[in-house]
């Protein structure tokens, strides 16, 4: 039954659950999940004992603050399967994310975990605007990365028609989006931009296609980039969030109704914000590091996982009717933060300053070099095809961009204006920072 005043939801009962019921459900599930991890994972038991806690010391949700955090190092130290809480034979699927150094982070799923993931990804895609029967063009990478298969099974669970493209082969992607009549595009925002640009180059009016929504995630992106993607693709661009350590995509999603903060699925996850320095929990609305505890995962229960993502939560009622707390747009990951001459800079801040700047395309790359004892940052940007390309004009544009960036991020950086097409394009996850500092 379609009622325009009632946005479609995959699981309306769960998604609109009154706060009191949601809290009671969370407490019940949290107790069970803590006991599961404590009994089945020696590493977790040792950490609980060192902190002087046990599952039965938890009386309320706030008591979670006494429990130890889990960090990426815990996964590394127990590589590959040491945090699994079920016999390996019950794990039906493995995924892994490439670490910047050494071994990947390995995660596993039981049958029930895979079902949960499909359900939550179906919920996420519906929240982002997908409907049963839609053609979903899935350009997230397939393989060990959770993005491709996560979106794939979620879209099937929602009873959509999935086109399992994975990344790359962009001209072919455009052709099939046009020929099949995709309604929803799943991709990283940087790759969606690449698709839009390639379509324009092919003479395909992508904004005129039936495409209605983009479910974009797996990298931080800015509000100006959203507006740019919406204009280029003729869609509503919606932010989705997840991380493999917790589930993969499907942890939280913006609703296409409000496009303001991502509903975190609280019946399956407990969200906290902590001070990234002191690690003490912060009140609702304060900015800090997002910490997530899984409530129903079997193979890999996570207790207070430090995401490194800096954000805030909002419990303001949402226009869509969902009651789940909203994770406001992630400013950046702590690990991605650059410190340039003592000033903290996130690549997404630079993106927000550049997108829409007159004479510039939306592509950029940050290059870090050493300038004596200090780190120096150069931002490589690209002029648009209709901007003059002579040396004097480029120098003038670079000067204007440098001035603008200084006013936004508070630090002077070099700016190099490149010819159209000369900044590398994203094939999946964008490489925003090129580090050329010799160690
Ligand atoms: Zn909403």
């Amino acid at each position: 039954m379609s009622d325009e005043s009632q946005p479609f939801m995959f699981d309306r009962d769960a998604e609109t659950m009154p706060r009191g019921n949601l809290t009671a459900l969370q407490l019940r599930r949290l107790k069970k999940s803590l006991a599961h991890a404590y009994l089945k994972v020696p590493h977790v038991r040792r950490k609980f004992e060192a902190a002087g806690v046990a599952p039965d010391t938890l009386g309320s949700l706030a008591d979670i603050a006494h429990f130890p955090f889990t960090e990426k190092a815990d996964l590394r130290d127990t590589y590959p399967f040491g945090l699994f809480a079920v016999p390996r034979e019950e794990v039906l699927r493995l995924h892994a994310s490439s670490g910047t150094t050494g071994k990947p982070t390995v995660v596993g799923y039981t049958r029930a975990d895979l079902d949960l993931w499909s359900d939550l990804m179906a919920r996420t895609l519906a929240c982002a605007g997908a409907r049963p029967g839609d053609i979903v063009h899935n350009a997230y990478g397939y393989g060990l990365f959770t993005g491709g298969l996560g979106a794939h099974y979620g879209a099937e669970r929602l009873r959509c028609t999935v086109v399992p493209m994975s990344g790359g082969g962009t001209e072919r992607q455009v052709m099939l989006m046009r020929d099949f009549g995709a309604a929803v595009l799943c991709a990283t925002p940087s790759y969606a931009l690449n698709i839009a640009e390639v379509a324009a180059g092919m003479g395909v009016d992508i904004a005129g296609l039936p495409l209605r929504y983009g479910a974009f995630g797996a990298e931080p992106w800015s509000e100006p980039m959203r507006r740019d993607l919406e204009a280029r693709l003729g869609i509503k661009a919606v932010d989705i969030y997840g991380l493999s350590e917790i589930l993969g995509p499907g942890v939280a999603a913006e609703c296409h109704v409000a496009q303001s903060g991502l509903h975190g699925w609280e019946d399956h996850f407990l969200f906290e914000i902590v001070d990234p320095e002191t690690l003490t929990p912060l009140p609702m609305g304060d900015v800090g590091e997002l910490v997530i505890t899984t409530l129903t995962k079997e193979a890999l229960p996570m207790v207070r996982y430090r995401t490194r993502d800096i954000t805030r939560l909002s419990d303001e009622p949402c226009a869509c009717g969902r009651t789940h707390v909203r994770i406001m747009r992630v400013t950046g990951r702590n690990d991605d933060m650059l410190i340039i001459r003592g000033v903290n800079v996130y690549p997404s801040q630079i993106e927000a300053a550049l997108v829409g700047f007159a004479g510039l395309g939306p592509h950029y790359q940050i290059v870090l070099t050493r300038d004596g004892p200090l780190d120096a940052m150069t931002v490589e940007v690209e002029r648009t095809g209709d901007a003059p390309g002579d040396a004097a004009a480029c120098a003038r544009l670079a000067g204007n961009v440098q001035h603008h960036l200084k006013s936004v991020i508070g630090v002077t950086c070099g700016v190099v204006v490149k010819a159209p097409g000369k900044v590398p394009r994203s094939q999946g996850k964008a490489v925003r920072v090129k580090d050329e500092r010799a160690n």
Side-chain angles (χ1 to χ4, degrees), residues 127 254-255 257-258 261 263 318-322 326:
C127 192
E254 276 185 336
C255 56
V257 176
H263 293 283
C318 186
C320 72
R322 290 179 181 84
R326 277 181 286 169

Side-chain angles (χ1 to χ4, degrees), residues 26 29-31 33-34 37 48 58 61 64-65 67-70 245-246 251 265-272 290-297 300-307:
Q26 284 190 308
R29 287 181 166 176
L30 179 59
K31 285 178 175 171
S33 187
L34 290 177
F48 279 22
L58 182 110
L61 288 178
I64 194 67
F67 285 74
F69 292 98
T70 305
E245 295 88 341
I246 295 301
V251 174
W265 305 128
E266 288 186 275
D267 45 343
H268 296 283
F269 308 105
L270 182 68
F271 299 96
E272 299 173 80
L290 179 66
V291 169
I292 308 178
T293 299
T294 65
L295 301 177
T296 51
K297 287 271 296 299
L300 190 57
M302 274 291 168
V303 182
R304 304 194 84 200
Y305 186 74
R306 290 188 59 188
T307 66

